[in-house]
mmCIF file of all heavy atoms in Angstrom:
data_model
loop_
_atom_site.group_PDB
_atom_site.id
_atom_site.type_symbol
_atom_site.label_atom_id
_atom_site.label_comp_id
_atom_site.label_asym_id
_atom_site.label_seq_id
_atom_site.Cartn_x
_atom_site.Cartn_y
_atom_site.Cartn_z
ATOM 1 N N VAL A 1 0.886 -1.172 0.001
ATOM 2 C CA VAL A 1 0.037 -0.050 0.003
ATOM 3 C C VAL A 1 0.929 1.217 -0.019
ATOM 4 O O VAL A 1 1.778 1.425 0.816
ATOM 5 C CB VAL A 1 -0.904 0.032 1.214
ATOM 6 C CG1 VAL A 1 -1.797 1.210 1.223
ATOM 7 C CG2 VAL A 1 -1.682 -1.264 1.420
ATOM 8 N N SER A 2 0.799 1.998 -1.025
ATOM 9 C CA SER A 2 1.537 3.322 -1.005
ATOM 10 C C SER A 2 1.032 4.308 -0.038
ATOM 11 O O SER A 2 -0.216 4.320 0.280
ATOM 12 C CB SER A 2 1.484 3.941 -2.437
ATOM 13 O OG SER A 2 2.104 3.113 -3.386
ATOM 14 N N ILE A 3 1.921 5.071 0.497
ATOM 15 C CA ILE A 3 1.546 6.077 1.481
ATOM 16 C C ILE A 3 1.442 7.344 0.659
ATOM 17 O O ILE A 3 2.328 8.164 0.350
ATOM 18 C CB ILE A 3 2.620 6.259 2.636
ATOM 19 C CG1 ILE A 3 2.881 4.912 3.283
ATOM 20 C CG2 ILE A 3 2.094 7.271 3.614
ATOM 21 C CD1 ILE A 3 1.600 4.191 3.828
ATOM 22 N N SER A 4 0.210 7.643 0.157
ATOM 23 C CA SER A 4 -0.029 8.817 -0.688
ATOM 24 C C SER A 4 -1.494 9.166 -0.576
ATOM 25 O O SER A 4 -2.371 8.452 -0.579
ATOM 26 C CB SER A 4 0.286 8.355 -2.087
ATOM 27 O OG SER A 4 -0.056 9.511 -2.964
ATOM 28 N N ASP A 5 -1.664 10.580 -0.617
ATOM 29 C CA ASP A 5 -3.012 11.183 -0.755
ATOM 30 C C ASP A 5 -3.165 11.780 -2.121
ATOM 31 O O ASP A 5 -4.170 12.527 -2.335
ATOM 32 C CB ASP A 5 -3.228 12.202 0.430
ATOM 33 C CG ASP A 5 -3.499 11.563 1.693
ATOM 34 O OD1 ASP A 5 -3.827 10.361 1.734
ATOM 35 O OD2 ASP A 5 -3.350 12.124 2.727
ATOM 36 N N GLY A 6 -2.252 11.472 -3.007
ATOM 37 C CA GLY A 6 -2.434 12.034 -4.299
ATOM 38 C C GLY A 6 -3.304 11.339 -5.245
ATOM 39 O O GLY A 6 -3.930 10.369 -4.855
ATOM 40 N N ASP A 7 -3.455 11.833 -6.490
ATOM 41 C CA ASP A 7 -4.416 11.300 -7.423
ATOM 42 C C ASP A 7 -3.696 10.040 -8.041
ATOM 43 O O ASP A 7 -2.571 9.859 -7.959
ATOM 44 C CB ASP A 7 -4.670 12.303 -8.485
ATOM 45 C CG ASP A 7 -5.418 13.500 -8.098
ATOM 46 O OD1 ASP A 7 -6.189 13.412 -7.007
ATOM 47 O OD2 ASP A 7 -5.240 14.658 -8.579
ATOM 48 N N ALA A 8 -4.523 9.244 -8.650
ATOM 49 C CA ALA A 8 -4.111 8.081 -9.417
ATOM 50 C C ALA A 8 -3.323 7.164 -8.670
ATOM 51 O O ALA A 8 -2.236 6.646 -8.956
ATOM 52 C CB ALA A 8 -3.303 8.587 -10.732
ATOM 53 N N THR A 9 -3.746 6.803 -7.440
ATOM 54 C CA THR A 9 -3.215 5.823 -6.604
ATOM 55 C C THR A 9 -3.795 4.404 -6.938
ATOM 56 O O THR A 9 -5.035 4.226 -6.656
ATOM 57 C CB THR A 9 -3.354 6.157 -5.147
ATOM 58 O OG1 THR A 9 -4.713 6.524 -4.828
ATOM 59 C CG2 THR A 9 -2.429 7.331 -4.677
ATOM 60 N N VAL A 10 -3.028 3.566 -7.420
ATOM 61 C CA VAL A 10 -3.441 2.242 -7.757
ATOM 62 C C VAL A 10 -4.205 1.512 -6.670
ATOM 63 O O VAL A 10 -5.223 0.892 -6.982
ATOM 64 C CB VAL A 10 -2.317 1.288 -8.350
ATOM 65 C CG1 VAL A 10 -2.856 -0.043 -8.757
ATOM 66 C CG2 VAL A 10 -1.648 2.107 -9.497
ATOM 67 N N PHE A 11 -3.816 1.527 -5.512
ATOM 68 C CA PHE A 11 -4.477 0.826 -4.386
ATOM 69 C C PHE A 11 -5.845 1.352 -4.170
ATOM 70 O O PHE A 11 -6.670 0.718 -3.438
ATOM 71 C CB PHE A 11 -3.555 0.877 -3.179
ATOM 72 C CG PHE A 11 -3.571 2.209 -2.483
ATOM 73 C CD1 PHE A 11 -4.536 2.512 -1.483
ATOM 74 C CD2 PHE A 11 -2.611 3.141 -2.748
ATOM 75 C CE1 PHE A 11 -4.483 3.683 -0.759
ATOM 76 C CE2 PHE A 11 -2.553 4.328 -2.064
ATOM 77 C CZ PHE A 11 -3.580 4.656 -1.087
ATOM 78 N N ARG A 12 -6.218 2.453 -4.762
ATOM 79 C CA ARG A 12 -7.567 3.109 -4.609
ATOM 80 C C ARG A 12 -8.352 2.838 -5.776
ATOM 81 O O ARG A 12 -9.391 3.429 -6.048
ATOM 82 C CB ARG A 12 -7.573 4.539 -4.279
ATOM 83 C CG ARG A 12 -7.036 4.946 -2.805
ATOM 84 C CD ARG A 12 -7.441 6.339 -2.526
ATOM 85 N NE ARG A 12 -6.842 6.705 -1.135
ATOM 86 C CZ ARG A 12 -5.787 7.434 -0.973
ATOM 87 N NH1 ARG A 12 -4.944 7.840 -2.152
ATOM 88 N NH2 ARG A 12 -5.244 7.683 0.171
ATOM 89 N N TYR A 13 -7.841 1.879 -6.639
ATOM 90 C CA TYR A 13 -8.583 1.594 -7.818
ATOM 91 C C TYR A 13 -8.596 2.786 -8.877
ATOM 92 O O TYR A 13 -9.652 3.024 -9.517
ATOM 93 C CB TYR A 13 -9.908 0.998 -7.651
ATOM 94 C CG TYR A 13 -9.974 -0.227 -6.826
ATOM 95 C CD1 TYR A 13 -11.243 -0.702 -6.387
ATOM 96 C CD2 TYR A 13 -8.844 -0.930 -6.543
ATOM 97 C CE1 TYR A 13 -11.295 -1.829 -5.611
ATOM 98 C CE2 TYR A 13 -8.952 -2.143 -5.608
ATOM 99 C CZ TYR A 13 -10.199 -2.586 -5.293
ATOM 100 O OH TYR A 13 -10.297 -3.718 -4.443
ATOM 101 N N GLU A 14 -7.463 3.524 -8.916
ATOM 102 C CA GLU A 14 -7.531 4.623 -9.776
ATOM 103 C C GLU A 14 -6.028 4.859 -10.327
ATOM 104 O O GLU A 14 -5.086 4.786 -9.525
ATOM 105 C CB GLU A 14 -7.909 5.917 -9.012
ATOM 106 C CG GLU A 14 -7.906 7.251 -9.786
ATOM 107 C CD GLU A 14 -8.310 8.394 -8.960
ATOM 108 O OE1 GLU A 14 -7.614 8.596 -7.910
ATOM 109 O OE2 GLU A 14 -9.201 9.167 -9.275
ATOM 110 N N TYR A 15 -5.927 4.891 -11.582
ATOM 111 C CA TYR A 15 -4.608 5.047 -12.148
ATOM 112 C C TYR A 15 -4.558 5.708 -13.529
ATOM 113 O O TYR A 15 -5.579 5.695 -14.134
ATOM 114 C CB TYR A 15 -3.929 3.671 -12.241
ATOM 115 C CG TYR A 15 -4.670 2.558 -12.712
ATOM 116 C CD1 TYR A 15 -4.771 2.223 -14.063
ATOM 117 C CD2 TYR A 15 -5.401 1.751 -11.880
ATOM 118 C CE1 TYR A 15 -5.529 1.120 -14.523
ATOM 119 C CE2 TYR A 15 -6.122 0.668 -12.348
ATOM 120 C CZ TYR A 15 -6.214 0.403 -13.664
ATOM 121 O OH TYR A 15 -6.993 -0.634 -14.152
ATOM 122 N N ARG A 16 -3.436 6.331 -13.843
ATOM 123 C CA ARG A 16 -3.383 7.040 -15.104
ATOM 124 C C ARG A 16 -3.328 6.039 -16.245
ATOM 125 O O ARG A 16 -2.769 4.938 -16.079
ATOM 126 C CB ARG A 16 -2.094 7.897 -15.085
ATOM 127 C CG ARG A 16 -2.134 9.095 -13.992
ATOM 128 C CD ARG A 16 -0.923 9.920 -14.141
ATOM 129 N NE ARG A 16 -0.942 11.040 -13.193
ATOM 130 C CZ ARG A 16 -0.639 10.997 -12.045
ATOM 131 N NH1 ARG A 16 -0.038 9.839 -11.518
ATOM 132 N NH2 ARG A 16 -0.706 11.995 -11.190
ATOM 133 N N ARG A 17 -3.915 6.489 -17.378
ATOM 134 C CA ARG A 17 -3.949 5.612 -18.572
ATOM 135 C C ARG A 17 -2.527 5.288 -19.112
ATOM 136 O O ARG A 17 -2.349 4.167 -19.735
ATOM 137 C CB ARG A 17 -4.824 6.282 -19.679
ATOM 138 C CG ARG A 17 -6.256 6.609 -19.269
ATOM 139 C CD ARG A 17 -6.996 7.206 -20.373
ATOM 140 N NE ARG A 17 -7.447 6.373 -21.351
ATOM 141 C CZ ARG A 17 -8.653 5.651 -21.285
ATOM 142 N NH1 ARG A 17 -9.609 5.913 -20.249
ATOM 143 N NH2 ARG A 17 -8.936 4.827 -22.201
ATOM 144 N N SER A 18 -1.596 6.067 -18.853
ATOM 145 C CA SER A 18 -0.213 5.921 -19.349
ATOM 146 C C SER A 18 0.410 4.707 -18.752
ATOM 147 O O SER A 18 1.404 4.161 -19.342
ATOM 148 C CB SER A 18 0.620 7.157 -19.052
ATOM 149 O OG SER A 18 0.759 7.434 -17.668
ATOM 150 N N ILE A 19 -0.178 4.169 -17.659
ATOM 151 C CA ILE A 19 0.430 2.994 -16.960
ATOM 152 C C ILE A 19 0.354 1.746 -17.835
ATOM 153 O O ILE A 19 1.092 0.833 -17.734
ATOM 154 C CB ILE A 19 -0.121 2.780 -15.654
ATOM 155 C CG1 ILE A 19 0.764 1.822 -14.744
ATOM 156 C CG2 ILE A 19 -1.628 2.037 -15.760
ATOM 157 C CD1 ILE A 19 0.284 1.674 -13.263
ATOM 158 N N ALA A 20 -0.660 1.883 -18.833
ATOM 159 C CA ALA A 20 -0.854 0.769 -19.688
ATOM 160 C C ALA A 20 0.244 0.463 -20.742
ATOM 161 O O ALA A 20 0.363 -0.688 -21.332
ATOM 162 C CB ALA A 20 -2.211 0.828 -20.422
ATOM 163 N N ASP A 21 1.022 1.443 -21.093
ATOM 164 C CA ASP A 21 1.914 1.334 -22.169
ATOM 165 C C ASP A 21 2.988 0.348 -21.931
ATOM 166 O O ASP A 21 3.487 -0.327 -22.932
ATOM 167 C CB ASP A 21 2.658 2.614 -22.450
ATOM 168 C CG ASP A 21 1.705 3.793 -22.854
ATOM 169 O OD1 ASP A 21 0.532 3.660 -22.740
ATOM 170 O OD2 ASP A 21 2.222 4.772 -23.412
ATOM 171 N N TYR A 22 3.504 0.197 -20.755
ATOM 172 C CA TYR A 22 4.805 -0.605 -20.460
ATOM 173 C C TYR A 22 4.649 -2.036 -20.827
ATOM 174 O O TYR A 22 5.509 -2.638 -21.536
ATOM 175 C CB TYR A 22 5.179 -0.472 -19.003
ATOM 176 C CG TYR A 22 6.377 -1.176 -18.677
ATOM 177 C CD1 TYR A 22 7.569 -0.814 -19.159
ATOM 178 C CD2 TYR A 22 6.381 -2.259 -17.717
ATOM 179 C CE1 TYR A 22 8.837 -1.482 -18.766
ATOM 180 C CE2 TYR A 22 7.539 -2.951 -17.413
ATOM 181 C CZ TYR A 22 8.661 -2.593 -18.014
ATOM 182 O OH TYR A 22 9.849 -3.216 -17.662
ATOM 183 N N LEU A 23 3.649 -2.720 -20.351
ATOM 184 C CA LEU A 23 3.446 -4.184 -20.624
ATOM 185 C C LEU A 23 3.265 -4.371 -22.047
ATOM 186 O O LEU A 23 3.692 -5.383 -22.665
ATOM 187 C CB LEU A 23 2.390 -4.747 -19.721
ATOM 188 C CG LEU A 23 2.700 -4.953 -18.237
ATOM 189 C CD1 LEU A 23 1.452 -5.525 -17.553
ATOM 190 C CD2 LEU A 23 3.884 -5.800 -18.065
ATOM 191 N N TRP A 24 2.416 -3.622 -22.640
ATOM 192 C CA TRP A 24 2.064 -3.821 -24.079
ATOM 193 C C TRP A 24 3.286 -3.645 -25.026
ATOM 194 O O TRP A 24 3.576 -4.551 -25.700
ATOM 195 C CB TRP A 24 1.098 -2.604 -24.494
ATOM 196 C CG TRP A 24 0.586 -2.656 -25.845
ATOM 197 C CD1 TRP A 24 1.301 -2.246 -26.947
ATOM 198 C CD2 TRP A 24 -0.820 -2.982 -26.330
ATOM 199 N NE1 TRP A 24 0.374 -2.305 -28.122
ATOM 200 C CE2 TRP A 24 -0.828 -2.809 -27.715
ATOM 201 C CE3 TRP A 24 -1.873 -3.530 -25.700
ATOM 202 C CZ2 TRP A 24 -1.933 -3.034 -28.469
ATOM 203 C CZ3 TRP A 24 -3.145 -3.693 -26.445
ATOM 204 C CH2 TRP A 24 -3.083 -3.620 -27.767
ATOM 205 N N ASN A 25 4.114 -2.530 -24.697
ATOM 206 C CA ASN A 25 5.278 -2.358 -25.499
ATOM 207 C C ASN A 25 6.345 -3.599 -25.196
ATOM 208 O O ASN A 25 6.900 -4.122 -26.108
ATOM 209 C CB ASN A 25 5.930 -1.026 -25.101
ATOM 210 C CG ASN A 25 5.058 0.114 -25.571
ATOM 211 O OD1 ASN A 25 4.170 -0.002 -26.337
ATOM 212 N ND2 ASN A 25 5.380 1.307 -25.026
ATOM 213 N N SER A 26 6.419 -3.857 -23.995
ATOM 214 C CA SER A 26 7.531 -4.841 -23.640
ATOM 215 C C SER A 26 7.281 -6.244 -24.159
ATOM 216 O O SER A 26 8.108 -6.948 -24.643
ATOM 217 C CB SER A 26 7.731 -4.887 -22.063
ATOM 218 O OG SER A 26 8.055 -3.553 -21.552
ATOM 219 N N TRP A 27 5.956 -6.642 -23.893
ATOM 220 C CA TRP A 27 5.651 -8.013 -24.260
ATOM 221 C C TRP A 27 5.462 -8.314 -25.740
ATOM 222 O O TRP A 27 5.914 -9.316 -26.275
ATOM 223 C CB TRP A 27 4.448 -8.446 -23.419
ATOM 224 C CG TRP A 27 4.742 -8.877 -22.032
ATOM 225 C CD1 TRP A 27 5.916 -9.268 -21.542
ATOM 226 C CD2 TRP A 27 3.849 -8.913 -20.986
ATOM 227 N NE1 TRP A 27 5.786 -9.588 -20.142
ATOM 228 C CE2 TRP A 27 4.437 -9.397 -19.804
ATOM 229 C CE3 TRP A 27 2.399 -8.758 -20.858
ATOM 230 C CZ2 TRP A 27 3.905 -9.504 -18.463
ATOM 231 C CZ3 TRP A 27 1.783 -8.863 -19.625
ATOM 232 C CH2 TRP A 27 2.552 -9.303 -18.474
ATOM 233 N N TYR A 28 4.969 -7.325 -26.492
ATOM 234 C CA TYR A 28 4.965 -7.417 -27.905
ATOM 235 C C TYR A 28 6.313 -7.472 -28.609
ATOM 236 O O TYR A 28 6.474 -8.284 -29.497
ATOM 237 C CB TYR A 28 4.091 -6.404 -28.484
ATOM 238 C CG TYR A 28 2.589 -6.803 -28.595
ATOM 239 C CD1 TYR A 28 1.669 -5.900 -27.899
ATOM 240 C CD2 TYR A 28 2.161 -7.833 -29.264
ATOM 241 C CE1 TYR A 28 0.270 -6.234 -27.914
ATOM 242 C CE2 TYR A 28 0.718 -8.126 -29.259
ATOM 243 C CZ TYR A 28 -0.060 -7.331 -28.624
ATOM 244 O OH TYR A 28 -1.461 -7.735 -28.647
ATOM 245 N N VAL A 29 7.282 -6.699 -27.994
ATOM 246 C CA VAL A 29 8.616 -6.875 -28.562
ATOM 247 C C VAL A 29 9.164 -8.269 -28.366
ATOM 248 O O VAL A 29 9.807 -8.875 -29.321
ATOM 249 C CB VAL A 29 9.556 -5.838 -27.849
ATOM 250 C CG1 VAL A 29 11.007 -6.165 -28.161
ATOM 251 C CG2 VAL A 29 9.193 -4.468 -28.324
ATOM 252 N N GLN A 30 8.933 -8.842 -27.238
ATOM 253 C CA GLN A 30 9.489 -10.148 -26.946
ATOM 254 C C GLN A 30 8.712 -11.263 -27.704
ATOM 255 O O GLN A 30 9.332 -12.220 -28.133
ATOM 256 C CB GLN A 30 9.469 -10.506 -25.450
ATOM 257 C CG GLN A 30 10.289 -9.520 -24.509
ATOM 258 C CD GLN A 30 11.599 -9.204 -25.219
ATOM 259 O OE1 GLN A 30 12.414 -10.075 -25.735
ATOM 260 N NE2 GLN A 30 12.082 -7.982 -25.181
ATOM 261 N N LEU A 31 7.475 -11.026 -28.035
ATOM 262 C CA LEU A 31 6.700 -11.964 -28.881
ATOM 263 C C LEU A 31 7.364 -11.990 -30.299
ATOM 264 O O LEU A 31 7.342 -13.064 -30.901
ATOM 265 C CB LEU A 31 5.298 -11.574 -28.917
ATOM 266 C CG LEU A 31 4.447 -11.994 -27.718
ATOM 267 C CD1 LEU A 31 3.089 -11.234 -27.641
ATOM 268 C CD2 LEU A 31 4.214 -13.555 -27.738
ATOM 269 N N THR A 32 7.861 -10.870 -30.708
ATOM 270 C CA THR A 32 8.507 -10.897 -32.032
ATOM 271 C C THR A 32 9.778 -11.725 -32.005
ATOM 272 O O THR A 32 10.013 -12.517 -32.867
ATOM 273 C CB THR A 32 9.022 -9.463 -32.288
ATOM 274 O OG1 THR A 32 7.838 -8.667 -32.478
ATOM 275 C CG2 THR A 32 9.659 -9.368 -33.722
ATOM 276 N N ASN A 33 10.479 -11.682 -30.796
ATOM 277 C CA ASN A 33 11.611 -12.550 -30.654
ATOM 278 C C ASN A 33 11.288 -14.019 -30.555
ATOM 279 O O ASN A 33 11.983 -14.872 -31.158
ATOM 280 C CB ASN A 33 12.420 -12.129 -29.435
ATOM 281 C CG ASN A 33 13.153 -10.755 -29.597
ATOM 282 O OD1 ASN A 33 13.579 -10.460 -30.728
ATOM 283 N ND2 ASN A 33 13.292 -9.938 -28.533
ATOM 284 N N PHE A 34 10.247 -14.282 -29.870
ATOM 285 C CA PHE A 34 9.847 -15.681 -29.759
ATOM 286 C C PHE A 34 9.305 -16.258 -31.074
ATOM 287 O O PHE A 34 9.562 -17.418 -31.342
ATOM 288 C CB PHE A 34 8.742 -15.914 -28.548
ATOM 289 C CG PHE A 34 9.265 -15.814 -27.248
ATOM 290 C CD1 PHE A 34 8.791 -14.912 -26.279
ATOM 291 C CD2 PHE A 34 10.359 -16.608 -26.811
ATOM 292 C CE1 PHE A 34 9.280 -14.814 -25.062
ATOM 293 C CE2 PHE A 34 10.908 -16.556 -25.532
ATOM 294 C CZ PHE A 34 10.346 -15.667 -24.579
ATOM 295 N N LYS A 35 8.699 -15.485 -31.828
ATOM 296 C CA LYS A 35 8.221 -15.871 -33.154
ATOM 297 C C LYS A 35 9.401 -16.167 -34.113
ATOM 298 O O LYS A 35 9.395 -17.098 -34.798
ATOM 299 C CB LYS A 35 7.208 -14.945 -33.748
ATOM 300 C CG LYS A 35 5.826 -14.913 -33.170
ATOM 301 C CD LYS A 35 4.900 -13.922 -33.795
ATOM 302 C CE LYS A 35 3.502 -14.224 -33.348
ATOM 303 N NZ LYS A 35 2.469 -13.418 -34.167
ATOM 304 N N ASP A 36 10.330 -15.204 -34.055
ATOM 305 C CA ASP A 36 11.604 -15.347 -34.857
ATOM 306 C C ASP A 36 12.307 -16.701 -34.419
ATOM 307 O O ASP A 36 12.933 -17.330 -35.320
ATOM 308 C CB ASP A 36 12.521 -14.205 -34.675
ATOM 309 C CG ASP A 36 12.079 -13.008 -35.479
ATOM 310 O OD1 ASP A 36 11.230 -13.086 -36.298
ATOM 311 O OD2 ASP A 36 12.582 -11.943 -35.093
#
């Protein structure tokens, strides 16, 4: 649990949309490698 009263705290079921980029970008790159 993060100690934060700020916005977009994941433990409060609220997060910025930009958090979605990382897994998408990372895993699709590696799928290219596994397909190769």
